[in-house]
Amino acid sequence: IGVGLRHAFRSAARTVSASINPSPENAWLADGQLRLHRNGSRSSMLIMPVAGLLVSFAFRPWVGLEWRMGWWIGLTLVCLAIHRGNLALDRMTGRDAATVSRKSKYATALSVVFLMAWCSMSVFLWAPGEPTDQMLLVLILACSMAGTIVISASHPAIALAALIIHAVFLIGPPAFGDGALDTELSLLAAVFTLLLVGQLVVQTMGVNRLLTLEHERAGLVQGLRAAKRESDRERGRAISAGRAKSQFLSNMNHELRTPMNAILGFSEIIQAKSFGTDVDKY
């Protein structure tokens, strides 16, 4: 079991490292992972402030206005800043390993900042001694963790950051509580996190397989197009060669027919003995 865990840990570490620091041979994979993640979260930074406002309203019975609005205003500012950062990220169009690495690190850093701001609700909105408040926070963060894992599973580094940050803010506050409910919530959050680890591994492997198949298909299509272009060039050369051959045979036919006609004419004269039997005349 220990050997299997070490092997799995090393494999996961290599996968995460390759997503933010790809080799030239695997730059296409990291670029595809980042592209999928960006497509799935393109408008999220403009939606999350609305979600945060609804969350802050939900905790009105237990948390004061200044804490709720402080968290929401901070989240909104972070989302707007990250939205501008994502727009700058979209303008980086290079697909070489160095550019893809910069884009991946940049996107991972932006995701970490957002996740810290979002998950900090468990600090700003946590009300000690209020079981309903605590259970609602755990429920919101658990749903957020599951949804974020689904969206970010295409990019291992961002998915790992999302898992760790959610787990810290999901397990941490209940773990430091002194009630039986706090302990139960912390244990449930830990079990839920372990379940999502398995789901994350499965989804990431599936996404990588799909990207690999897409890359191979694109390579096959490109190869077929190159083969077709080469075939068209060869066919063009064959047509040109055929035309040259036909022209050559036509010219040779003309050049040979004229003396051959003369030879045939003289042969007929000799055969018909048109000048009698005088050989010297022939």
Side-chain angles (χ1 to χ4, degrees):
I1 297 176
V3 175
L5 289 176
R6 285 196 298 271
H7 177 73
F9 179 78
R10 290 172 183 171
S11 178
R14 286 194 298 268
T15 301
V16 172
S17 177
S19 67
I20 59 175
N21 191 26
S23 63
E25 295 79 12
N26 293 327
W28 60 269
L29 179 59
D31 182 67
Q33 292 171 341
L34 188 60
R35 172 169 45 83
L36 284 179
H37 176 264
R38 185 72 183 112
N39 291 338
S41 60
R42 189 170 300 276
S43 60
S44 60
M45 289 302 105
L46 299 178
I47 298 174
M48 294 312 295
V50 178
L53 184 62
L54 296 176
V55 169
S56 66
F57 282 162
F59 288 86
R60 284 178 296 174
W62 313 287
V63 182
L65 179 63
E66 65 277 6
W67 285 95
R68 290 187 290 111
M69 288 298 100
W71 172 76
W72 178 75
I73 292 172
L75 175 67
T76 301
L77 293 177
V78 168
C79 288
L80 294 177
I82 292 177
H83 179 68
R84 291 178 61 88
N86 284 333
L87 294 179
L89 188 66
D90 291 337
R91 290 192 289 269
M92 300 172 63
T93 57
R95 293 191 173 184
D96 57 285
T99 303
V100 172
S101 179
R102 287 196 301 271
K103 289 167 60 178
S104 295
K105 293 175 181 177
Y106 189 25
T108 303
L110 292 177
S111 297
V112 168
V113 173
F114 164 72
L115 290 167
M116 293 290 290
W118 170 255
C119 294
S120 64
M121 71 171 71
S122 68
V123 176
F124 284 88
L125 306 181
W126 183 270
E130 295 290 345
T132 305
D133 169 276
Q134 297 171 6
M135 287 190 292
L136 183 58
L137 270 175
V138 170
L139 177 62
I140 292 174
L141 285 177
C143 293
S144 174
M145 178 190 284
T148 306
I149 291 302
V150 171
I151 295 174
S152 61
S154 57
H155 195 281
I158 296 177
L160 180 62
L163 182 69
I164 293 175
I165 293 173
H166 273 94
V168 169
F169 284 97
L170 184 61
I171 301 172
F176 289 102
D178 54 1
L181 179 61
D182 294 327
T183 303
E184 292 174 358
L185 289 176
S186 180
L187 291 174
L188 286 173
V191 172
F192 182 72
T193 301
L194 291 176
L195 291 175
L196 284 184
V197 169
Q199 291 297 317
L200 173 60
V201 171
V202 172
Q203 291 189 36
T204 300
M205 292 175 61
V207 169
N208 286 346
R209 281 196 296 268
L210 289 176
L211 289 174
T212 301
L213 289 174
E214 180 184 358
H215 180 71
E216 292 176 350
R217 181 184 62 83
L220 179 61
V221 170
Q222 185 177 2
L224 289 175
R225 288 175 178 173
K228 183 179 183 301
R229 288 193 295 268
E230 182 64 24
S231 175
D232 291 341
R233 286 195 293 268
E234 292 295 335
R235 185 165 61 88
R237 286 194 288 266
I239 292 174
S240 298
R243 290 174 180 172
K245 177 182 177 182
S246 298
Q247 185 65 33
F248 171 78
L249 292 177
S250 176
N251 293 337
M252 288 301 297
N253 181 53
H254 174 73
E255 295 296 333
L256 290 174
R257 187 169 58 246
T258 300
M260 287 300 294
N261 285 337
I263 293 172
L264 289 173
F266 284 118
S267 299
E268 291 175 354
I269 290 174
I270 295 172
Q271 183 180 16
K273 298 181 180 181
S274 300
F275 299 112
T277 61
D278 189 351
V279 177
D280 293 335
K281 289 184 178 182
Y282 297 116

